[in-house]
Amino acid sequence: MDEFQKVLCGWSWEENKLFELALAVVDEQDPDRWEVVAAMVGGQKSAEDVQKHYVILLQDVQFIESGLFDHKIEDAQLQSLCWTDEDNNLLVQLNIN
């Protein structure tokens, strides 16, 4: 598995939520930003891990904002290295409700 896949797949839902919260409260100018964010995520991720995750997040946002993202998820064949049966079940539940 290459480094990009490890960064993408190695984050739980809870870690992602803590990561998002940390980004919202830690000043971008803080010289220890990535260490602080890593600590807020729960201490299982290094400063390098959270910084790489941030770069991926920025790339995702840029892709979505570019207009190239197909918003018709129900029509897409969803395939991902990180996609689980649990993710698929959640998507099915969301489409039903």
Side-chain angles (χ1 to χ4, degrees):
M1 179 181 290
D2 67 32
E3 190 64 27
F4 181 76
Q5 294 168 346
K6 286 181 188 174
V7 171
L8 260 183
C9 297
W11 289 71
S12 70
W13 184 88
E14 292 84 4
E15 288 172 327
N16 272 305
K17 289 298 158 190
L18 290 170
F19 172 74
E20 292 170 5
L21 176 62
L23 290 178
V25 298
V26 177
D27 189 334
E28 288 182 33
Q29 303 304 315
D30 185 333
D32 298 319
R33 181 182 193 200
W34 302 119
E35 289 82 4
V36 174
V37 171
M40 291 180 72
V41 169
Q44 299 298 317
K45 304 294 182 188
S46 69
E48 183 180 359
D49 291 335
V50 296
Q51 191 171 15
K52 286 180 181 179
H53 202 61
Y54 180 71
V55 169
I56 291 170
L57 174 64
L58 290 180
Q59 291 170 343
D60 286 348
V61 169
Q62 289 171 345
F63 180 70
I64 291 167
E65 289 179 347
S66 73
L68 297 174
F69 181 73
D70 182 2
H71 291 80
K72 298 178 182 175
I73 292 177
E74 66 275 3
D75 295 335
Q77 288 292 333
L78 297 174
Q79 295 181 353
S80 170
L81 297 172
C82 304
W83 197 259
T84 66
D85 288 337
E86 183 179 333
D87 296 326
N88 192 52
N89 291 339
L90 178 60
L91 181 63
V92 170
Q93 289 174 359
L94 291 173
N95 285 333
I96 290 173
N97 295 330

